[in-house]
């Protein structure tokens, strides 16, 4: 009886383990056959972002943006939501937001933001970048520029945003436009009494 019980427990454990292995194995074949994910694609899986380096029958190897390699079970790539930034093409839309002080010439600010964006070689001329006067914020006039670049990694987005901000800083300083910062106006009602001790 004990032998039969032990054999049954081992068989059940082996069955669950084998089920997981077979699931990943079949998922690997589906990935290689349908190709929703290819080598060189830039993926976002939960909190991990990276480039696919190898698709095996059991797992997929991804190199994260910080250089660390991670192995993701193939079944996880099929069962969970995966963002493939480069599935169809390498065109990515991104944006830069900036707030300027109240009293700034809104039309001129929009023109300078567009100029700083178009000057970047990575920014695609078509679709054309679009500058939007987003809102009258608490402390600033809020503008946002949306543009497209051709990139296969997230780093391309960050570098382009940084270059646009550097150029905006130069243009704003040249035209005496102040980037807004949080501030509050305090009004005191009544009179203040100063006592000498």
């Amino acid at each position: 009886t004990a032998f039969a019980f032990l054999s049954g427990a081992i068989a059940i454990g082996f069955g669950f383990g084998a089920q997981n292995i077979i699931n990943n194995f079949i998922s690997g074949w589906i990935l290689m056959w349908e190709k929703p994910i290819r080598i060189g694609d830039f993926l976002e899986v939960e909190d991990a972002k990276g480039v696919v380096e190898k698709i095996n029958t059991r797992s997929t190897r991804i190199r994260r943006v910080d250089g660390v390699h991670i192995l993701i079970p193939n079944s996880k790539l099929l069962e969970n939501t995966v963002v493939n930034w480069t599935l169809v093409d390498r065109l990515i839309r991104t944006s830069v937001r900036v707030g300027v002080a109240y009293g700034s010439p809104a039309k001129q600010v929009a023109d300078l933001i567009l100029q700083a964006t178009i000057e970047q070689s990575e920014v695609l001329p078509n679709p054309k970048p679009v500058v939007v006067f987003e809102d009258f914020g608490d402390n600033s006039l809020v503008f946002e520029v949306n543009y497209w670049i051709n990139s296969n990694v997230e780093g391309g987005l960050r570098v382009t945003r940084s270059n646009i901000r550097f150029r905006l800083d130069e243009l704003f300083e040249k035209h005496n436009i102040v980037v807004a910062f949080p501030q509050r106006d305090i009004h005191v009602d009544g009179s203040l009494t100063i006592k000498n001790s």
Side-chain angles (χ1 to χ4, degrees):
T1 302
F3 180 76
F5 178 79
L6 183 60
S7 299
I10 293 174
I12 292 173
F14 180 79
F16 280 117
Q19 179 184 7
N20 191 21
I21 292 173
I22 292 171
N23 186 16
N24 285 320
F25 183 78
I26 294 174
S27 298
W29 281 105
I30 293 174
L31 289 175
M32 288 187 254
W33 179 261
E34 292 186 357
K35 296 184 178 179
I37 297 170
R38 300 159 304 203
I39 294 174
D41 281 351
F42 186 79
L43 301 184
E44 184 175 347
V45 185
E46 295 181 349
D47 295 331
K49 295 180 182 179
V51 177
V52 177
E53 289 193 338
K54 192 172 185 180
I55 301 175
N56 297 313
T57 53
R58 191 190 67 83
S59 63
T60 296
R61 188 178 75 199
I62 294 178
R63 184 181 181 93
R64 288 192 327 203
V65 292
D66 59 1
V68 176
H69 288 91
I70 59 174
L71 297 175
I72 300 178
N74 289 329
S75 59
K76 190 172 183 180
L77 295 175
L78 290 180
E79 294 170 359
N80 297 311
T81 301
V82 177
V83 178
N84 189 339
W85 291 36
T86 53
L87 177 62
V88 177
D89 53 40
R90 301 191 183 279
L91 299 180
I92 301 173
R93 195 191 81 159
T94 186
S95 62
V96 171
R97 288 171 63 92
V98 63
V100 298
Y102 273 91
S104 302
K107 295 274 190 183
Q108 185 182 17
V109 170
D111 291 340
L112 293 176
I113 294 174
L114 184 61
Q115 176 185 340
T117 306
I118 292 175
E119 287 179 358
Q120 309 306 316
S121 59
E122 300 86 358
V123 175
L124 298 176
N126 190 22
K128 184 179 178 181
V130 176
V131 179
V132 179
F133 189 166
E134 189 70 23
D135 197 6
F136 292 98
D138 291 337
N139 305 294
S140 64
L141 305 176
V142 183
F143 292 82
E144 182 176 75
V145 58
N146 297 297
Y147 60 92
W148 290 80
I149 68 170
N150 194 341
S151 177
N152 61 346
V153 292
E154 185 189 23
L157 297 176
R158 297 176 62 196
V159 170
T160 307
R161 292 191 200 112
S162 176
N163 291 338
I164 290 174
R165 291 185 183 112
F166 275 126
R167 183 60 178 143
L168 274 178
D169 184 60
E170 295 173 353
L171 291 173
F172 284 173
E173 183 178 358
K174 181 179 178 181
H175 292 86
N176 298 317
I177 294 174
V178 179
V179 176
F181 55 89
Q183 52 186 322
R184 292 289 183 271
D185 292 332
I186 299 176
H187 300 275
V188 179
D189 294 330
S191 60
L192 296 175
T193 304
I194 301 175
K195 293 182 179 181
N196 296 323
S197 57

PDB file of all heavy atoms in Angstrom, residues 166-195:
ATOM      1  N   PHE A 166      17.510  69.675 -24.513  1.00  0.00           N
ATOM      2  CA  PHE A 166      18.727  70.494 -24.553  1.00  0.00           C
ATOM      3  C   PHE A 166      18.550  71.666 -25.509  1.00  0.00           C
ATOM      4  O   PHE A 166      18.889  72.816 -25.197  1.00  0.00           O
ATOM      5  CB  PHE A 166      19.930  69.652 -24.994  1.00  0.00           C
ATOM      6  CG  PHE A 166      20.597  68.906 -23.879  1.00  0.00           C
ATOM      7  CD1 PHE A 166      20.794  67.544 -23.972  1.00  0.00           C
ATOM      8  CD2 PHE A 166      21.057  69.566 -22.746  1.00  0.00           C
ATOM      9  CE1 PHE A 166      21.416  66.838 -22.941  1.00  0.00           C
ATOM     10  CE2 PHE A 166      21.681  68.873 -21.720  1.00  0.00           C
ATOM     11  CZ  PHE A 166      21.862  67.502 -21.817  1.00  0.00           C
ATOM     12  N   ARG A 167      18.009  71.368 -26.699  1.00  0.00           N
ATOM     13  CA  ARG A 167      17.827  72.416 -27.699  1.00  0.00           C
ATOM     14  C   ARG A 167      16.779  73.427 -27.251  1.00  0.00           C
ATOM     15  O   ARG A 167      16.935  74.639 -27.467  1.00  0.00           O
ATOM     16  CB  ARG A 167      17.426  71.783 -29.037  1.00  0.00           C
ATOM     17  CG  ARG A 167      17.280  72.770 -30.174  1.00  0.00           C
ATOM     18  CD  ARG A 167      18.574  73.502 -30.443  1.00  0.00           C
ATOM     19  NE  ARG A 167      18.443  74.419 -31.569  1.00  0.00           N
ATOM     20  CZ  ARG A 167      19.029  75.601 -31.626  1.00  0.00           C
ATOM     21  NH1 ARG A 167      19.803  76.013 -30.630  1.00  0.00           N
ATOM     22  NH2 ARG A 167      18.871  76.375 -32.675  1.00  0.00           N
ATOM     23  N   LEU A 168      15.714  72.959 -26.595  1.00  0.00           N
ATOM     24  CA  LEU A 168      14.691  73.868 -26.079  1.00  0.00           C
ATOM     25  C   LEU A 168      15.272  74.811 -25.039  1.00  0.00           C
ATOM     26  O   LEU A 168      14.941  76.008 -25.019  1.00  0.00           O
ATOM     27  CB  LEU A 168      13.539  73.068 -25.458  1.00  0.00           C
ATOM     28  CG  LEU A 168      12.439  72.596 -26.397  1.00  0.00           C
ATOM     29  CD1 LEU A 168      11.410  71.785 -25.636  1.00  0.00           C
ATOM     30  CD2 LEU A 168      11.788  73.765 -27.098  1.00  0.00           C
ATOM     31  N   ASP A 169      16.137  74.300 -24.194  1.00  0.00           N
ATOM     32  CA  ASP A 169      16.770  75.142 -23.182  1.00  0.00           C
ATOM     33  C   ASP A 169      17.552  76.275 -23.828  1.00  0.00           C
ATOM     34  O   ASP A 169      17.497  77.419 -23.382  1.00  0.00           O
ATOM     35  CB  ASP A 169      17.687  74.281 -22.303  1.00  0.00           C
ATOM     36  CG  ASP A 169      18.302  75.068 -21.168  1.00  0.00           C
ATOM     37  OD1 ASP A 169      17.553  75.603 -20.331  1.00  0.00           O
ATOM     38  OD2 ASP A 169      19.547  75.167 -21.121  1.00  0.00           O
ATOM     39  N   GLU A 170      18.274  75.954 -24.918  1.00  0.00           N
ATOM     40  CA  GLU A 170      19.033  76.987 -25.628  1.00  0.00           C
ATOM     41  C   GLU A 170      18.104  78.014 -26.274  1.00  0.00           C
ATOM     42  O   GLU A 170      18.327  79.231 -26.169  1.00  0.00           O
ATOM     43  CB  GLU A 170      19.914  76.329 -26.699  1.00  0.00           C
ATOM     44  CG  GLU A 170      21.000  75.425 -26.142  1.00  0.00           C
ATOM     45  CD  GLU A 170      21.733  74.681 -27.248  1.00  0.00           C
ATOM     46  OE1 GLU A 170      21.306  74.782 -28.428  1.00  0.00           O
ATOM     47  OE2 GLU A 170      22.725  73.994 -26.939  1.00  0.00           O
ATOM     48  N   LEU A 171      17.065  77.536 -26.960  1.00  0.00           N
ATOM     49  CA  LEU A 171      16.153  78.442 -27.664  1.00  0.00           C
ATOM     50  C   LEU A 171      15.358  79.314 -26.688  1.00  0.00           C
ATOM     51  O   LEU A 171      15.155  80.509 -26.935  1.00  0.00           O
ATOM     52  CB  LEU A 171      15.194  77.634 -28.550  1.00  0.00           C
ATOM     53  CG  LEU A 171      15.816  76.935 -29.757  1.00  0.00           C
ATOM     54  CD1 LEU A 171      14.803  76.031 -30.435  1.00  0.00           C
ATOM     55  CD2 LEU A 171      16.363  77.965 -30.745  1.00  0.00           C
ATOM     56  N   PHE A 172      14.905  78.735 -25.583  1.00  0.00           N
ATOM     57  CA  PHE A 172      14.150  79.508 -24.603  1.00  0.00           C
ATOM     58  C   PHE A 172      15.019  80.588 -23.977  1.00  0.00           C
ATOM     59  O   PHE A 172      14.572  81.712 -23.760  1.00  0.00           O
ATOM     60  CB  PHE A 172      13.589  78.596 -23.518  1.00  0.00           C
ATOM     61  CG  PHE A 172      12.389  77.803 -23.952  1.00  0.00           C
ATOM     62  CD1 PHE A 172      11.845  76.830 -23.126  1.00  0.00           C
ATOM     63  CD2 PHE A 172      11.779  78.022 -25.169  1.00  0.00           C
ATOM     64  CE1 PHE A 172      10.734  76.105 -23.511  1.00  0.00           C
ATOM     65  CE2 PHE A 172      10.671  77.299 -25.581  1.00  0.00           C
ATOM     66  CZ  PHE A 172      10.134  76.333 -24.731  1.00  0.00           C
ATOM     67  N   GLU A 173      16.265  80.235 -23.675  1.00  0.00           N
ATOM     68  CA  GLU A 173      17.168  81.235 -23.089  1.00  0.00           C
ATOM     69  C   GLU A 173      17.434  82.365 -24.075  1.00  0.00           C
ATOM     70  O   GLU A 173      17.482  83.533 -23.699  1.00  0.00           O
ATOM     71  CB  GLU A 173      18.485  80.556 -22.691  1.00  0.00           C
ATOM     72  CG  GLU A 173      19.461  81.493 -21.998  1.00  0.00           C
ATOM     73  CD  GLU A 173      20.733  80.801 -21.559  1.00  0.00           C
ATOM     74  OE1 GLU A 173      20.840  79.576 -21.752  1.00  0.00           O
ATOM     75  OE2 GLU A 173      21.627  81.498 -21.033  1.00  0.00           O
ATOM     76  N   LYS A 174      17.583  82.022 -25.346  1.00  0.00           N
ATOM     77  CA  LYS A 174      17.852  83.022 -26.382  1.00  0.00           C
ATOM     78  C   LYS A 174      16.676  83.982 -26.552  1.00  0.00           C
ATOM     79  O   LYS A 174      16.868  85.178 -26.825  1.00  0.00           O
ATOM     80  CB  LYS A 174      18.155  82.311 -27.707  1.00  0.00           C
ATOM     81  CG  LYS A 174      18.468  83.232 -28.858  1.00  0.00           C
ATOM     82  CD  LYS A 174      18.778  82.422 -30.113  1.00  0.00           C
ATOM     83  CE  LYS A 174      19.051  83.335 -31.303  1.00  0.00           C
ATOM     84  NZ  LYS A 174      19.325  82.558 -32.538  1.00  0.00           N
ATOM     85  N   HIS A 175      15.459  83.483 -26.390  1.00  0.00           N
ATOM     86  CA  HIS A 175      14.261  84.305 -26.602  1.00  0.00           C
ATOM     87  C   HIS A 175      13.616  84.735 -25.289  1.00  0.00           C
ATOM     88  O   HIS A 175      12.448  85.183 -25.281  1.00  0.00           O
ATOM     89  CB  HIS A 175      13.251  83.531 -27.454  1.00  0.00           C
ATOM     90  CG  HIS A 175      13.703  83.309 -28.864  1.00  0.00           C
ATOM     91  ND1 HIS A 175      14.499  82.243 -29.234  1.00  0.00           N
ATOM     92  CD2 HIS A 175      13.495  84.026 -30.007  1.00  0.00           C
ATOM     93  CE1 HIS A 175      14.743  82.294 -30.524  1.00  0.00           C
ATOM     94  NE2 HIS A 175      14.152  83.367 -31.021  1.00  0.00           N
ATOM     95  N   ASN A 176      14.348  84.610 -24.175  1.00  0.00           N
ATOM     96  CA  ASN A 176      13.879  85.066 -22.862  1.00  0.00           C
ATOM     97  C   ASN A 176      12.539  84.453 -22.458  1.00  0.00           C
ATOM     98  O   ASN A 176      11.652  85.130 -21.933  1.00  0.00           O
ATOM     99  CB  ASN A 176      13.765  86.600 -22.831  1.00  0.00           C
ATOM    100  CG  ASN A 176      15.108  87.270 -23.045  1.00  0.00           C
ATOM    101  OD1 ASN A 176      16.115  86.835 -22.483  1.00  0.00           O
ATOM    102  ND2 ASN A 176      15.127  88.323 -23.855  1.00  0.00           N
ATOM    103  N   ILE A 177      12.400  83.165 -22.713  1.00  0.00           N
ATOM    104  CA  ILE A 177      11.209  82.428 -22.291  1.00  0.00           C
ATOM    105  C   ILE A 177      11.587  81.578 -21.087  1.00  0.00           C
ATOM    106  O   ILE A 177      12.575  80.844 -21.116  1.00  0.00           O
ATOM    107  CB  ILE A 177      10.659  81.554 -23.435  1.00  0.00           C
ATOM    108  CG1 ILE A 177      10.141  82.455 -24.560  1.00  0.00           C
ATOM    109  CG2 ILE A 177       9.564  80.631 -22.934  1.00  0.00           C
ATOM    110  CD1 ILE A 177       9.712  81.737 -25.799  1.00  0.00           C
ATOM    111  N   VAL A 178      10.806  81.693 -20.031  1.00  0.00           N
ATOM    112  CA  VAL A 178      11.130  81.034 -18.764  1.00  0.00           C
ATOM    113  C   VAL A 178      10.356  79.729 -18.628  1.00  0.00           C
ATOM    114  O   VAL A 178       9.128  79.702 -18.798  1.00  0.00           O
ATOM    115  CB  VAL A 178      10.788  81.957 -17.574  1.00  0.00           C
ATOM    116  CG1 VAL A 178      11.092  81.261 -16.253  1.00  0.00           C
ATOM    117  CG2 VAL A 178      11.552  83.270 -17.691  1.00  0.00           C
ATOM    118  N   VAL A 179      11.100  78.645 -18.337  1.00  0.00           N
ATOM    119  CA  VAL A 179      10.452  77.376 -18.028  1.00  0.00           C
ATOM    120  C   VAL A 179       9.848  77.498 -16.641  1.00  0.00           C
ATOM    121  O   VAL A 179      10.512  77.916 -15.688  1.00  0.00           O
ATOM    122  CB  VAL A 179      11.459  76.214 -18.078  1.00  0.00           C
ATOM    123  CG1 VAL A 179      10.794  74.908 -17.645  1.00  0.00           C
ATOM    124  CG2 VAL A 179      12.039  76.076 -19.480  1.00  0.00           C
ATOM    125  N   ALA A 180       8.573  77.157 -16.515  1.00  0.00           N
ATOM    126  CA  ALA A 180       7.847  77.393 -15.269  1.00  0.00           C
ATOM    127  C   ALA A 180       8.309  76.458 -14.158  1.00  0.00           C
ATOM    128  O   ALA A 180       8.812  75.367 -14.405  1.00  0.00           O
ATOM    129  CB  ALA A 180       6.355  77.212 -15.507  1.00  0.00           C
ATOM    130  N   PHE A 181       8.111  76.911 -12.942  1.00  0.00           N
ATOM    131  CA  PHE A 181       8.386  76.107 -11.761  1.00  0.00           C
ATOM    132  C   PHE A 181       7.248  76.340 -10.769  1.00  0.00           C
ATOM    133  O   PHE A 181       6.582  77.378 -10.821  1.00  0.00           O
ATOM    134  CB  PHE A 181       9.735  76.477 -11.141  1.00  0.00           C
ATOM    135  CG  PHE A 181       9.893  77.933 -10.819  1.00  0.00           C
ATOM    136  CD1 PHE A 181       9.503  78.445  -9.590  1.00  0.00           C
ATOM    137  CD2 PHE A 181      10.420  78.812 -11.774  1.00  0.00           C
ATOM    138  CE1 PHE A 181       9.633  79.794  -9.304  1.00  0.00           C
ATOM    139  CE2 PHE A 181      10.558  80.161 -11.484  1.00  0.00           C
ATOM    140  CZ  PHE A 181      10.158  80.662 -10.256  1.00  0.00           C
ATOM    141  N   PRO A 182       6.991  75.379  -9.876  1.00  0.00           N
ATOM    142  CA  PRO A 182       5.880  75.545  -8.926  1.00  0.00           C
ATOM    143  C   PRO A 182       6.041  76.791  -8.078  1.00  0.00           C
ATOM    144  O   PRO A 182       7.123  77.072  -7.562  1.00  0.00           O
ATOM    145  CB  PRO A 182       5.966  74.282  -8.056  1.00  0.00           C
ATOM    146  CG  PRO A 182       6.682  73.290  -8.914  1.00  0.00           C
ATOM    147  CD  PRO A 182       7.645  74.081  -9.750  1.00  0.00           C
ATOM    148  N   GLN A 183       4.963  77.571  -7.947  1.00  0.00           N
ATOM    149  CA  GLN A 183       5.009  78.778  -7.139  1.00  0.00           C
ATOM    150  C   GLN A 183       3.611  79.098  -6.626  1.00  0.00           C
ATOM    151  O   GLN A 183       2.616  78.670  -7.197  1.00  0.00           O
ATOM    152  CB  GLN A 183       5.552  79.961  -7.951  1.00  0.00           C
ATOM    153  CG  GLN A 183       4.831  80.181  -9.267  1.00  0.00           C
ATOM    154  CD  GLN A 183       5.486  81.256 -10.100  1.00  0.00           C
ATOM    155  OE1 GLN A 183       5.940  82.256  -9.552  1.00  0.00           O
ATOM    156  NE2 GLN A 183       5.537  81.073 -11.397  1.00  0.00           N
ATOM    157  N   ARG A 184       3.544  79.846  -5.533  1.00  0.00           N
ATOM    158  CA  ARG A 184       2.269  80.229  -4.930  1.00  0.00           C
ATOM    159  C   ARG A 184       2.310  81.710  -4.572  1.00  0.00           C
ATOM    160  O   ARG A 184       3.330  82.218  -4.109  1.00  0.00           O
ATOM    161  CB  ARG A 184       2.010  79.418  -3.659  1.00  0.00           C
ATOM    162  CG  ARG A 184       1.747  77.930  -3.893  1.00  0.00           C
ATOM    163  CD  ARG A 184       0.383  77.714  -4.539  1.00  0.00           C
ATOM    164  NE  ARG A 184       0.094  76.297  -4.709  1.00  0.00           N
ATOM    165  CZ  ARG A 184       0.427  75.595  -5.785  1.00  0.00           C
ATOM    166  NH1 ARG A 184       1.075  76.181  -6.774  1.00  0.00           N
ATOM    167  NH2 ARG A 184       0.118  74.320  -5.871  1.00  0.00           N
ATOM    168  N   ASP A 185       1.200  82.391  -4.809  1.00  0.00           N
ATOM    169  CA  ASP A 185       1.049  83.774  -4.376  1.00  0.00           C
ATOM    170  C   ASP A 185       0.303  83.778  -3.045  1.00  0.00           C
ATOM    171  O   ASP A 185      -0.759  83.154  -2.906  1.00  0.00           O
ATOM    172  CB  ASP A 185       0.253  84.593  -5.405  1.00  0.00           C
ATOM    173  CG  ASP A 185       1.028  84.769  -6.704  1.00  0.00           C
ATOM    174  OD1 ASP A 185       2.261  84.755  -6.641  1.00  0.00           O
ATOM    175  OD2 ASP A 185       0.386  84.911  -7.752  1.00  0.00           O
ATOM    176  N   ILE A 186       0.860  84.481  -2.036  1.00  0.00           N
ATOM    177  CA  ILE A 186       0.252  84.553  -0.713  1.00  0.00           C
ATOM    178  C   ILE A 186      -0.253  85.967  -0.475  1.00  0.00           C
ATOM    179  O   ILE A 186       0.503  86.933  -0.600  1.00  0.00           O
ATOM    180  CB  ILE A 186       1.264  84.157   0.378  1.00  0.00           C
ATOM    181  CG1 ILE A 186       1.742  82.709   0.153  1.00  0.00           C
ATOM    182  CG2 ILE A 186       0.648  84.300   1.757  1.00  0.00           C
ATOM    183  CD1 ILE A 186       2.808  82.271   1.118  1.00  0.00           C
ATOM    184  N   HIS A 187      -1.527  86.105  -0.165  1.00  0.00           N
ATOM    185  CA  HIS A 187      -2.139  87.402   0.132  1.00  0.00           C
ATOM    186  C   HIS A 187      -2.509  87.429   1.609  1.00  0.00           C
ATOM    187  O   HIS A 187      -3.211  86.538   2.099  1.00  0.00           O
ATOM    188  CB  HIS A 187      -3.386  87.617  -0.731  1.00  0.00           C
ATOM    189  CG  HIS A 187      -3.100  87.590  -2.205  1.00  0.00           C
ATOM    190  ND1 HIS A 187      -2.673  88.691  -2.901  1.00  0.00           N
ATOM    191  CD2 HIS A 187      -3.160  86.574  -3.105  1.00  0.00           C
ATOM    192  CE1 HIS A 187      -2.484  88.366  -4.169  1.00  0.00           C
ATOM    193  NE2 HIS A 187      -2.776  87.084  -4.315  1.00  0.00           N
ATOM    194  N   VAL A 188      -2.053  88.448   2.312  1.00  0.00           N
ATOM    195  CA  VAL A 188      -2.331  88.575   3.738  1.00  0.00           C
ATOM    196  C   VAL A 188      -3.376  89.668   3.938  1.00  0.00           C
ATOM    197  O   VAL A 188      -3.177  90.820   3.517  1.00  0.00           O
ATOM    198  CB  VAL A 188      -1.037  88.914   4.518  1.00  0.00           C
ATOM    199  CG1 VAL A 188      -1.345  89.059   6.010  1.00  0.00           C
ATOM    200  CG2 VAL A 188       0.012  87.831   4.294  1.00  0.00           C
ATOM    201  N   ASP A 189      -4.505  89.292   4.521  1.00  0.00           N
ATOM    202  CA  ASP A 189      -5.563  90.263   4.811  1.00  0.00           C
ATOM    203  C   ASP A 189      -5.344  90.838   6.208  1.00  0.00           C
ATOM    204  O   ASP A 189      -4.997  90.124   7.149  1.00  0.00           O
ATOM    205  CB  ASP A 189      -6.941  89.605   4.746  1.00  0.00           C
ATOM    206  CG  ASP A 189      -7.263  89.157   3.331  1.00  0.00           C
ATOM    207  OD1 ASP A 189      -6.761  89.807   2.395  1.00  0.00           O
ATOM    208  OD2 ASP A 189      -8.013  88.166   3.165  1.00  0.00           O
ATOM    209  N   GLY A 190      -5.574  92.149   6.361  1.00  0.00           N
ATOM    210  CA  GLY A 190      -5.427  92.780   7.662  1.00  0.00           C
ATOM    211  C   GLY A 190      -4.048  93.372   7.840  1.00  0.00           C
ATOM    212  O   GLY A 190      -3.221  93.435   6.909  1.00  0.00           O
ATOM    213  N   SER A 191      -3.771  93.819   9.017  1.00  0.00           N
ATOM    214  CA  SER A 191      -2.488  94.473   9.293  1.00  0.00           C
ATOM    215  C   SER A 191      -1.654  93.621  10.199  1.00  0.00           C
ATOM    216  O   SER A 191      -2.158  92.837  10.997  1.00  0.00           O
ATOM    217  CB  SER A 191      -2.719  95.850   9.924  1.00  0.00           C
ATOM    218  OG  SER A 191      -3.441  95.676  11.135  1.00  0.00           O
ATOM    219  N   LEU A 192      -0.335  93.773  10.080  1.00  0.00           N
ATOM    220  CA  LEU A 192       0.603  93.046  10.921  1.00  0.00           C
ATOM    221  C   LEU A 192       1.046  93.938  12.060  1.00  0.00           C
ATOM    222  O   LEU A 192       1.378  95.111  11.859  1.00  0.00           O
ATOM    223  CB  LEU A 192       1.828  92.595  10.113  1.00  0.00           C
ATOM    224  CG  LEU A 192       1.566  91.581   8.982  1.00  0.00           C
ATOM    225  CD1 LEU A 192       2.846  91.329   8.210  1.00  0.00           C
ATOM    226  CD2 LEU A 192       1.015  90.291   9.551  1.00  0.00           C
ATOM    227  N   THR A 193       1.042  93.426  13.271  1.00  0.00           N
ATOM    228  CA  THR A 193       1.461  94.177  14.454  1.00  0.00           C
ATOM    229  C   THR A 193       2.812  93.657  14.916  1.00  0.00           C
ATOM    230  O   THR A 193       2.965  92.458  15.148  1.00  0.00           O
ATOM    231  CB  THR A 193       0.439  94.045  15.584  1.00  0.00           C
ATOM    232  OG1 THR A 193      -0.829  94.471  15.109  1.00  0.00           O
ATOM    233  CG2 THR A 193       0.861  94.867  16.785  1.00  0.00           C
ATOM    234  N   ILE A 194       3.794  94.554  15.032  1.00  0.00           N
ATOM    235  CA  ILE A 194       5.124  94.163  15.465  1.00  0.00           C
ATOM    236  C   ILE A 194       5.330  94.672  16.891  1.00  0.00           C
ATOM    237  O   ILE A 194       5.190  95.869  17.172  1.00  0.00           O
ATOM    238  CB  ILE A 194       6.215  94.739  14.545  1.00  0.00           C
ATOM    239  CG1 ILE A 194       6.000  94.251  13.109  1.00  0.00           C
ATOM    240  CG2 ILE A 194       7.603  94.382  15.048  1.00  0.00           C
ATOM    241  CD1 ILE A 194       6.950  94.868  12.109  1.00  0.00           C
ATOM    242  N   LYS A 195       5.632  93.778  17.792  1.00  0.00           N
ATOM    243  CA  LYS A 195       5.842  94.138  19.187  1.00  0.00           C
ATOM    244  C   LYS A 195       7.321  94.143  19.508  1.00  0.00           C
ATOM    245  O   LYS A 195       8.033  93.204  19.156  1.00  0.00           O
ATOM    246  CB  LYS A 195       5.123  93.158  20.105  1.00  0.00           C
ATOM    247  CG  LYS A 195       3.607  93.226  20.006  1.00  0.00           C
ATOM    248  CD  LYS A 195       2.952  92.276  20.973  1.00  0.00           C
ATOM    249  CE  LYS A 195       1.437  92.383  20.876  1.00  0.00           C
ATOM    250  NZ  LYS A 195       0.773  91.459  21.842  1.00  0.00           N
TER     251      LYS A 195
END
